[in-house]
């Protein structure tokens, strides 16, 4: 069982969260010309890192906020959590 | 190579079965090969076998980081089926069904193929309509499909919950009678033994550390057991695809996720079909040893850990108990996990790449085991002829650029939603 520290509510079990994928993927800027490759990278292509991975989770059965979680994809250890509005340093 | 038969079995009985030939050798890598297959799983071993058998290319090495058959071919729930709606998936899988039927004879290895039929249960009128449509599509592609009503399902799987007051009543189901199961390890070992006998080098405990690509062409592969010169490389590494793609500066529409399976303690024969729950994601069959073999959803987050987490297992087994209440009385014998190369439309990729001499076989999601022979056959063709076969033309990498996706389940790019 993962044990995730929600930046708003504190420690909660995995059961309260749902997953949202890679948090480093950025949508191409609105109103800007976008190449097929840029769009493809945004929609489909993923690094799927083995090791430390910043990802989005939603505290669905809690405060319902989206948060960012830094987790190891090989050991499942969680290092850090941030509010969705906070930048990954 | 020693042929396996009743006669060789009798002959070896006289020497207490101590003088059987080794099924495959343990060679050191040579300096140069015509083709190197990375990944000694089912797909890699099958590819090497068909390269040798169908294309007479025998100067081939299979490079495996661990031991052969230690990944998903040894971790699946052994289900074989071709109950797909889209033409590309249906024709590819049905071609594979043909190879499955002949496999034991072809490999001179008993893979225990058991065409016991698969039943997808329906729990609403709407779902019956969807299954009727899928069944019709299958039949148009020459695949057997039978739509069963509630009474017919009850006759075949009486131990399912047919009581009146259940949350997901059984309305009927779609059955593919020719689907079934096979002994998964035997598939890997059978392909390995035949490939080895035709001259393929199976090199285990050999990790790929890098690639030599010059001017957009493959020149070699670097491994923990030395550099190998080669012009054609086939990548068959399932959940490790992204790790190797990174060494090639490629980004792929693949995410690696964790999928669990489990078996109960062995019980007397109760279930002679493969059955899937239609109101969630749960599938079950009974092994020859009597264990109930079960699986379901992904754990739901990126993972390279080949072990699972209890919340998902609990969720999956809750579905199982809703479908077959007797399961709640069984003790769990083993649970395990494997890492899936989840593609962004749920369909695989067997294709050439922008690097000359680099061929890609990945994105099998949860459906890799049943595809083993067809994947090996078409991948061998793609490598040997340097062009895709019509059977795997739909499994091209470019579909993510063109938008011509093979979205059999229509789930979109959220691979963790299953």
């Amino acid at each position: 069982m993962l044990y995730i520290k929600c930046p708003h509510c504190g420690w909660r079990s995995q059961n309260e969260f749902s997953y949202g994928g890679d948090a480093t993927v950025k949508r191409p800027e609105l109103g800007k010309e976008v190449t097929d490759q840029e769009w493809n990278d945004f929609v489909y292509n993923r690094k799927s890192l083995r090791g430390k991975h910043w990802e989005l989770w939603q505290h669905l059965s809690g405060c319902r906020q989206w948060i960012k979680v830094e987790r190891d994809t090989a050991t499942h250890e969680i290092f850090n959590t941030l509010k969705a509005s906070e930048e990954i340093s | 190579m020693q042929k396996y038969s009743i006669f060789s079995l009798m002959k070896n009985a006289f020497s207490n079965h101590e003088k059987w030939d080794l099924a495959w050798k343990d060679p050191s890598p040579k300096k140069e090969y015509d083709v190197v297959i990375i990944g000694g799983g089912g797909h890699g071993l099958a590819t090497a076998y068909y390269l040798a058998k169908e294309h007479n290319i025998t100067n081939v090495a299979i490079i495996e980081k661990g031991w052969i058959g230690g990944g998903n071919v040894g971790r699946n729930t052994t289900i074989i089926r071709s109950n797909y709606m889209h033409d590309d998936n249906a024709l590819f899988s049905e071609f594979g069904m043909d190879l499955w039927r002949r496999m034991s004879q072809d490999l001179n290895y008993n893979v225990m193929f058991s065409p016991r039929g698969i039943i997808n249960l329906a729990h609403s009128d709407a779902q019956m309509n969807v299954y009727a449509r899928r069944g019709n599509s299958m039949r148009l592609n020459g695949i057997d499909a039978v739509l069963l009503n509630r009474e017919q399902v009850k006759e075949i799987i009486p131990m399912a919950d047919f009581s009146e007051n259940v949350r997901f009543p059984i309305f009927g189901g779609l059955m593919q009678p020719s689907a079934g199961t096979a002994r998964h390890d035997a598939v890997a070992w059978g392909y390995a033994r035949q490939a080895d006998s035709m001259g393929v080098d199976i090199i285990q405990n050999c990790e790929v550390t890098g690639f030599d690509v010059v001017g957009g062409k493959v020149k070699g592969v670097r491994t923990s057991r030395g550099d190998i010169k080669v012009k054609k490389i086939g990548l068959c590494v399932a959940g490790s695809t992204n790790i190797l793609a990174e060494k090639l500066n490629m980004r792929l529409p693949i995410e690696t996720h964790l999928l669990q399976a489990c078996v109960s303690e062995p019980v007397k024969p109760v279930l002679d079909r493969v059955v899937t729950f239609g109101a969630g994601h749960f599938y079950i069959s009974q092994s020859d040893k009597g264990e109930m073999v079960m699986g379901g959803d992904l754990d739901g987050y990126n993972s390279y850990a080949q072990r699972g987490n209890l919340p998902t297992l609990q969720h999956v087994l809750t579905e199982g108990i809703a479908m077959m209440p007797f399961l709640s009385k069984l003790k769990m014998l083993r649970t395990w996990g494997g890492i899936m190369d989840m593609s962004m439309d749920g369909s695989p990729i067997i294709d050439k790449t922008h690097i000359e001499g680099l061929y890609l076989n990945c994105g099998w999601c949860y459906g890799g085991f049943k595809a083993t022979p067809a994947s090996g056959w078409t991948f061998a063709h793609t490598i040997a002829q340097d062009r895709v076969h019509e059977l795997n033309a739909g499994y091209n990498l470019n579909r993510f650029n063109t938008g011509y996706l093979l979205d059999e389940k229509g789930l979109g790019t959220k691979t963790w939603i299953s």
Side-chain angles (χ1 to χ4, degrees), chain B residues 13 57 98 106 128 145 153-154 166 200 202 206 234 251 313 385:
Chain B
I57 301 174
D98 241 14
D106 205 25
M128 284 298 281
V153 173
K154 195 172 180 178
V166 289
V200 172
I202 298 172
C206 180
R251 286 187 75 184
L313 203 58
Q385 313 272 333

Side-chain angles (χ1 to χ4, degrees), chain A residues 43-55:
Chain A
V43 181
Y44 298 118
N45 291 340
R46 295 291 177 269
K47 285 183 186 157
S48 192
L49 298 174
R50 188 183 199 279
K52 286 187 178 180
H53 185 239
W54 275 102
E55 54 205 18

Side-chain angles (χ1 to χ4, degrees), chain B residues 308-324:
Chain B
N309 221 337
L310 283 176
T312 307
L313 203 58
Q314 188 175 27
H315 170 75
V316 167
L317 292 172
T318 305
E319 295 174 24
I321 290 165
M323 182 173 93
M324 293 183 181

Side-chain angles (χ1 to χ4, degrees), chain A residues 1 19 40 48 71 73 76, chain B residues 252 256 302-304 309 401:
Chain A
M1 173 91 70
Y19 187 62
N40 207 11
S48 192
R71 185 180 59 93
T73 57
H76 294 172
Chain B
L252 295 172
T256 294
N302 289 48
S303 177
Y304 285 89
N309 221 337
N401 287 312

Side-chain angles (χ1 to χ4, degrees), chain A residues 1-2 14-15 18-22 24-25 36-37 40-51 53 55 57 71-76, chain B residues 242-243 246 251-258 299-305 307-312 314 344 399-401 403 405 413-414 416:
Chain A
M1 173 91 70
L2 301 180
Q14 170 192 346
N15 289 338
S18 72
Y19 187 62
D22 190 334
T24 63
V25 175
D36 283 356
Q37 187 58 48
N40 207 11
D41 281 343
F42 164 63
V43 181
Y44 298 118
N45 291 340
R46 295 291 177 269
K47 285 183 186 157
S48 192
L49 298 174
R50 188 183 199 279
H53 185 239
E55 54 205 18
W57 289 76
R71 185 180 59 93
D72 192 306
T73 57
T75 64
H76 294 172
Chain B
N242 278 302
I243 297 174
E246 201 194 343
R251 286 187 75 184
L252 295 172
I254 303 274
E255 265 183 31
T256 294
H257 281 255
L258 171 64
D299 268 35
Y301 42 82
N302 289 48
S303 177
Y304 285 89
R307 59 184 162 71
N309 221 337
L310 283 176
T312 307
Q314 188 175 27
M344 290 288 166
R399 67 181 189 265
F400 298 95
N401 287 312
L405 300 178
T413 61
K414 303 285 184 278
W416 52 88

